[in-house]
Amino acid sequence: MQHTVPSLKDGSLFKSEGFIDGQWVSASSGQTFEVTDPASGKVIGTMPEMSAKETEDAITAAAAALPAWRKKTGRERGRILRAWYQLMVDNAEDLAKLITWENGKPIADARGEVAYAAGFFEWFAEEAPRVGGDTISATVPGNRVFTTKEPVGVAGLITPWNFPAAMITRKIGPALAAGCTVVVKSPGETPFTAAALAELGIRAGVPKGVVNIVTALKNTPEVGSTLTSSPAVRKISFTGSTGVGKLLMKQSSQTLKKLSFELGGNAPFIVFDDADLDLAVAGAITSKFRSSGQTCVCANRLYIQSGIYDKFATAFAKKVEAFSLGSGFADVSAHVEDAVKKGGEVLVGGKAREDLGPNFYAPTVIRDMKSTMALSSEETFGPVAGLFKFDTEAEVVKLANAAEVGLAGYFFSKDVQRVYRVAEALEVGMVGVNTGLISDPASPFGGVKESGFGREGSRLGIDEYMVTKMVTLGGMGGELQT
Ligand code: SIN
């Protein structure tokens, strides 16, 4: 298979250094790590293997930049975010090429990600000037009470490889809008998109020290623990696995930081007998195979009611059969092998496609899934759709909720009463009804249970980077002076 190296319209977006205090910098140790194209296995380039030293430099820079940045009005900060949004739109094709190159997702998906990612800057450019507090009617006579919202301070942002642009802008956008300065730990597997974003940030007028990017692969735990243990860092926002989230929470407890964690999902996707079959199949394709099945909100357990099960399985498998391939991972094979061993029938796919490159796995549909199979309790994070059969609403809600995590859940039904009943009963932070795509900068994104806490995007997203200050004025409300 031919693997192309993309040529960028603006080659200066390709940076091979971290970004600290407004400067492109290497690691003081001189160490670097290689980044590979997952489609071809070839090296794209190198990035500095930074350590505690550079992380501390970045924290110092962010702390020094904080007073001037927080002093700007929300409107001023919003204008810079808006300019950054526009630069992302103007350079969308180059950003999409970088994403596909280092992450491996199809270019159409990468273009979608750039639009989604830029949308967070646009959204929070608009939220920045609207932050305000409350006037409170005090119970103590003569007291007058009001609140203001203040930026929490320096924020440490730790992001994953599956959305090299969007997971970063979803955190930088609200942080900057709120008046925080940030230290971003870019994903070790996909650091070039983050660096290109920083370059566009310079062009948008982000002042030096406001956004700092630390790069590392092997030293990622060291960078993480430097961020979590620093008293100067007042907030950690992390997207990644539940296991790492627990570790970061433990580390952050020493300095009691404000936290928001968007962790693993294992999304149930339910199709009731009364669903519109075509809509449900289309929704399942979108939800299951977006980014090759590698998003935290991808359908993982597809529960199909018995009356529609066979029709759904046939129609869904037919669509999947028509796909061209995306990349796959080790877990994917393990889940397929386990399902087959326990009686699952592979309708489509079911094997790695090493003939196409080191990381390709055929999009797979398996029917006759059972709750004892690994896919039922573990997030596959790959292009495997397992179809479980169920009979009643109560049964499927119980199955759907039998997970330690609760990020997204989906269901398809035309019965409006059922829509309310099931949406209310699902133990998740986000519900998609008759749609497989719920991600939108305008909507609050986040989970319950072991999927974490805090909300990103929407008008709630900025609160994660702010603290409320209350001011009480005593001795007010006396008689008018004569
Ligand atoms: C994620 O996979 O963590 C984010 C997915 C999304 O924003 O849609």
Side-chain angles (χ1 to χ4, degrees), residues 3-6 14 16 32-47 98 100-103 188-189 191-192 217 358-359:
H3 296 286
T4 46
V5 174
F14 189 82
S16 297
T32 57
F33 62 92
E34 289 182 344
V35 180
T36 49
D37 171 352
S40 66
K42 293 200 175 120
V43 175
I44 295 174
T46 62
M47 273 289 188
L98 280 173
T100 293
W101 199 14
E102 62 180 357
N103 166 284
E189 301 82 354
F192 291 116
L217 181 64
N359 291 312

Side-chain angles (χ1 to χ4, degrees), residues 18-197:
F19 184 66
I20 297 173
D21 204 15
Q23 306 292 321
W24 293 103
V25 286
S26 304
S28 55
S29 66
Q31 283 183 21
T32 57
F33 62 92
E34 289 182 344
V35 180
T36 49
D37 171 352
S40 66
K42 293 200 175 120
V43 175
I44 295 174
T46 62
M47 273 289 188
E49 185 72 77
M50 294 185 164
S51 60
K53 151 93 180 66
E54 290 78 25
T55 313
E56 276 155 14
D57 291 347
I59 295 169
T60 304
L66 182 65
W69 183 250
R70 62 179 285 165
K71 213 166 161 204
K72 284 189 186 298
T73 63
R75 178 66 75 197
E76 288 169 325
R77 293 194 295 266
R79 282 190 187 124
I80 291 175
L81 280 174
R82 172 83 208 180
W84 204 350
Y85 156 77
Q86 193 55 50
L87 282 160
M88 284 187 72
V89 171
D90 296 344
N91 292 277
E93 197 56 22
D94 278 352
L95 291 172
K97 282 182 184 168
L98 280 173
I99 291 172
T100 293
W101 199 14
E102 62 180 357
N103 166 284
K105 67 175 70 175
I107 190 74
D109 252 352
R111 289 186 185 121
E113 180 181 344
V114 175
Y116 180 43
F120 288 105
F121 284 164
E122 184 183 37
W123 178 270
F124 286 106
E126 292 156 0
E127 287 296 301
R130 314 225 185 282
V131 171
D134 291 321
T135 304
I136 292 168
S137 306
T139 46
V140 178
N143 278 4
R144 297 291 179 269
V145 182
F146 67 91
T147 64
T148 56
K149 297 246 181 98
E150 297 187 346
V152 64
V154 174
L157 313 178
I158 307 174
T159 64
W161 51 267
N162 64 338
F163 284 85
M167 295 305 98
I168 292 181
T169 58
R170 182 151 90 184
K171 296 183 192 309
I172 291 183
L176 263 56
C180 297
T181 56
V182 302
V183 176
V184 180
K185 160 63 185 65
S186 62
E189 301 82 354
T190 60
F192 291 116
T193 307
L197 289 176

Side-chain angles (χ1 to χ4, degrees), residues 330-411:
D331 268 4
V332 174
S333 315
H335 279 183
V336 172
E337 279 159 28
D338 170 76
V340 170
K341 205 165 72 200
K342 294 176 181 158
E345 184 194 340
V346 174
L347 295 182
V348 184
K351 52 184 184 312
R353 291 287 309 271
E354 275 140 23
D355 52 316
L356 298 175
N359 291 312
F360 285 84
Y361 198 94
T364 297
V365 181
I366 311 176
R367 55 170 292 155
D368 304 329
M369 294 293 294
K370 300 186 185 69
S371 57
T372 50
M373 295 172 178
L375 185 148
S376 163
S377 52
E378 296 164 19
E379 191 180 16
T380 308
F381 229 65
V384 175
L387 309 183
F388 298 78
K389 196 183 276 186
F390 72 93
D391 289 313
T392 68
E393 198 177 283
E395 176 199 357
V396 77
V397 167
K398 193 163 168 213
L399 286 166
N401 289 343
E404 283 161 0
V405 289
L407 190 59
Y410 307 84
F411 65 94

Side-chain angles (χ1 to χ4, degrees), residues 116 162-163 167 170 239 262 290 295-297 439 445:
Y116 180 43
N162 64 338
F163 284 85
M167 295 305 98
R170 182 151 90 184
T239 297
E262 195 259 280
R290 177 170 169 239
T295 87
C296 297
V297 290
S439 304
F445 192 104

